[in-house]
Amino acid sequence: MSFRSIILERKGFEVKFGYSMRSRSQSHSDAIAQDSLVVLDGLKQSCWANMPPELLRDVLMRIEASEDSWPARKHVVACAGVCRSWREIMKEIVKSPQLSGKLTFPISLKQPGPRDSLLQCYIKRNRSNQTYYLFLGLNQASTDEGKFLLSARKCRRATHTDYIISLNCDDVSRGSSTYIGKLRSNFLGTKFTVYDAHPPIYGAKVTKSRSTRLVSLKQVSPRVPAGNYPIAHVSYDLNVLGSRGPRIMQCVMDAIPASAVEPGGVAPTQTQFLHSRIDTSPSIPFFRSKSTRMDNLPTVPLTCQNEGTLVLRNKSPRWHEHLQCWCLNFNGRVTVASVKNFQLVASPKNGVSEQAQENVILQFGKVGKDVFTMDYQYPISAFQAFAICLSSFDTKIACE
């Protein structure tokens, strides 16, 4: 039975049963109506939530296997939204991006990308309102159509610049329930910090920041205080002499061990959003302070004590005598020369093999007016890759 026929059968059942409910006599309206609602709820649960697990698993596995790309993959997400039992089975069936190479659920954006291949995405910039949109590429030959993934909005401050990152393309603000993190730069645009709005699965301290002040009690969880969790740092070398040349950048991934780039290496993988913004009782006390920290929560390093953090550097371009410009091999994914273009590889500081140092983990480049490609792979996630690419857009007073 196809997914469409399942939905049509469900709709027909609900309509027919609802009609029989309305045909009951008014004399028994109070007692019978209440009992009927219970019966109706029980029947709906028996038809969907209480399906035989073997049959349900077989149906969902066939749907997941057949809908392997967007937009048809929306049916997989629809199945996960039917009820809790369907959702739990779907979470078991749908593999993480590193195994399947697919972005299915929102949490997939926080999970490492596929191994041994780059996941192709692109970014569109809207200069009028300083917003950026990340899309999953559905067609390698065109960037006109794609699956929306993330959005970001640039917010200039007196001493720094923030890029607010959201799951919603229309509501990009820290007060939104779809806010998942931000990128913050210093005044010169040479140093950036990537913050995650949700506490990592391995624990982290929330940093001192004005943004940790609470907007309202309804936005804070009593279990996890709201705050900024630093997960990566991006830095650009100063160019005080003004000599023309490619940018030199370095990324320190606080949440990823250096061994993750080696064959068989493992990077932390989030399986669900640990929300720090859910409705709470107003009786719980909260304090407005710049120095709010998670000192009462278990704090462990972002990576193991005996392992260093992953350091990425931009791949050095070569000078092309005939073209009179710096060149990198993007394998056809970048077509317009720009100082923003870069490829990130593992730094020799990690002590990894030479082969691991040549493997491109993230590449970003211009293909048209306000259109850029973004390709990434294991061990970084789409959220981390998007934040790093946003740093390339920012004005760098002392780098150019």
Side-chain angles (χ1 to χ4, degrees):
M1 180 182 295
S2 67
F3 179 76
R4 179 180 177 83
S5 60
I6 293 176
I7 297 300
L8 290 176
E9 180 184 344
R10 181 183 182 189
K11 289 182 177 179
F13 169 78
E14 291 176 343
V15 170
K16 182 166 60 177
F17 199 90
Y19 177 78
S20 64
M21 283 285 297
R22 289 192 297 269
S23 63
R24 294 182 179 274
S25 62
Q26 187 67 28
S27 59
H28 300 84
S29 58
D30 294 336
I32 297 180
Q34 188 176 19
D35 294 339
S36 301
L37 289 175
V38 175
V39 174
L40 175 60
D41 183 67
L43 287 175
K44 289 174 68 176
Q45 290 294 325
S46 64
C47 287
W48 302 105
N50 298 326
M51 284 180 64
E54 297 81 5
L55 174 61
L56 178 58
R57 183 176 294 273
D58 181 64
V59 171
L60 296 183
M61 286 181 65
R62 294 189 182 192
I63 294 174
E64 201 279 336
S66 61
E67 313 296 356
D68 60 347
S69 61
W70 292 92
R73 197 154 181 78
K74 64 183 180 181
H75 295 153
V76 177
V77 180
C79 288
V82 171
C83 61
R84 183 175 298 176
S85 60
W86 285 46
R87 181 162 56 253
E88 293 302 322
I89 293 178
M90 264 306 179
K91 287 168 64 176
E92 296 176 8
I93 295 174
V94 177
K95 303 301 181 183
S96 62
Q98 63 174 299
L99 300 177
S100 64
K102 303 172 185 176
L103 298 176
T104 305
F105 301 117
I107 191 61
S108 302
L109 302 174
K110 290 288 190 74
Q111 296 174 339
R115 292 180 182 265
D116 304 324
S117 64
L118 291 168
L119 196 58
Q120 297 183 346
C121 307
Y122 64 93
I123 299 173
K124 285 190 173 183
R125 173 176 59 182
N126 188 330
R127 293 176 182 266
S128 61
N129 56 7
Q130 294 291 293
T131 53
Y132 306 81
Y133 303 96
L134 176 66
F135 297 87
L136 175 65
L138 304 183
N139 185 356
Q140 295 184 3
S142 173
T143 56
D144 293 334
E145 296 181 359
K147 167 64 179 174
F148 170 79
L149 300 178
L150 291 170
S151 63
R153 180 170 56 87
K154 185 176 182 179
C155 302
R156 292 184 180 275
R157 313 295 184 192
T159 58
H160 63 271
T161 300
D162 283 343
Y163 290 82
I164 308 299
I165 304 176
S166 172
L167 293 168
N168 192 328
C169 61
D170 299 320
D171 186 4
V172 188
S173 63
R174 288 205 77 246
S176 170
S177 60
T178 55
Y179 166 76
I180 62 170
K182 70 177 182 180
L183 174 75
R184 169 167 291 184
S185 76
N186 64 353
F187 177 74
L188 295 177
T190 57
K191 296 184 182 297
F192 299 80
T193 303
V194 181
Y195 294 98
D196 196 330
H198 307 98
I201 55 176
Y202 33 75
K205 282 190 176 183
V206 62
T207 61
K208 289 183 179 181
S209 172
R210 280 181 175 268
S211 57
T212 58
R213 291 187 176 185
L214 309 181
V215 179
S216 67
L217 293 176
K218 292 185 178 181
Q219 295 180 346
V220 184
S221 166
R223 296 174 296 175
V224 183
N228 299 317
Y229 305 85
I231 60 172
H233 296 82
V234 185
S235 61
Y236 292 81
D237 283 6
L238 295 175
N239 185 13
V240 293
L241 299 179
S243 59
R244 295 179 62 84
R247 293 174 176 174
I248 301 176
M249 63 184 296
Q250 176 178 281
C251 302
V252 180
M253 312 302 296
D254 298 339
I256 304 175
S259 60
V261 297
E262 295 282 12
V266 178
T269 302
Q270 238 176 293
T271 57
Q272 62 180 352
F273 285 111
L274 303 178
H275 292 287
S276 61
R277 293 165 173 257
I278 58 176
D279 292 340
T280 60
S281 170
S283 61
I284 300 174
F286 295 99
F287 303 94
R288 301 168 62 90
S289 172
K290 292 184 181 180
S291 59
T292 304
R293 288 184 177 269
M294 291 177 59
D295 293 330
N296 57 333
L297 294 182
T299 57
V300 297
L302 296 184
T303 55
C304 298
Q305 290 281 1
N306 57 353
E307 285 190 289
T309 57
L310 176 64
V311 179
L312 305 177
R313 64 170 178 86
N314 66 311
K315 194 172 184 178
S316 300
R318 60 181 179 84
W319 178 256
H320 197 290
E321 289 293 343
H322 179 67
L323 299 176
Q324 290 293 297
C325 65
W326 297 95
C327 295
L328 278 172
N329 182 15
F330 288 93
N331 295 311
R333 289 285 292 164
V334 177
T335 58
V336 180
S338 173
V339 71
K340 297 178 175 63
N341 302 348
F342 67 81
Q343 288 180 325
L344 289 185
V345 296
S347 172
K349 296 179 181 180
N350 298 310
V352 297
S353 63
E354 292 185 3
Q355 181 181 359
Q357 295 177 29
E358 291 298 319
N359 188 30
V360 176
I361 295 175
L362 170 64
Q363 67 178 19
F364 171 79
K366 191 172 185 178
V367 294
K369 185 179 180 180
D370 297 324
V371 182
F372 302 79
T373 56
M374 187 199 86
D375 304 337
Y376 76 99
Q377 67 170 333
Y378 195 89
I380 66 174
S381 65
F383 166 70
Q384 293 168 334
F386 185 44
I388 293 172
C389 291
L390 288 174
S391 71
S392 187
F393 287 108
D394 197 62
T395 303
K396 295 165 179 54
I397 301 174
C399 293
E400 293 149 6

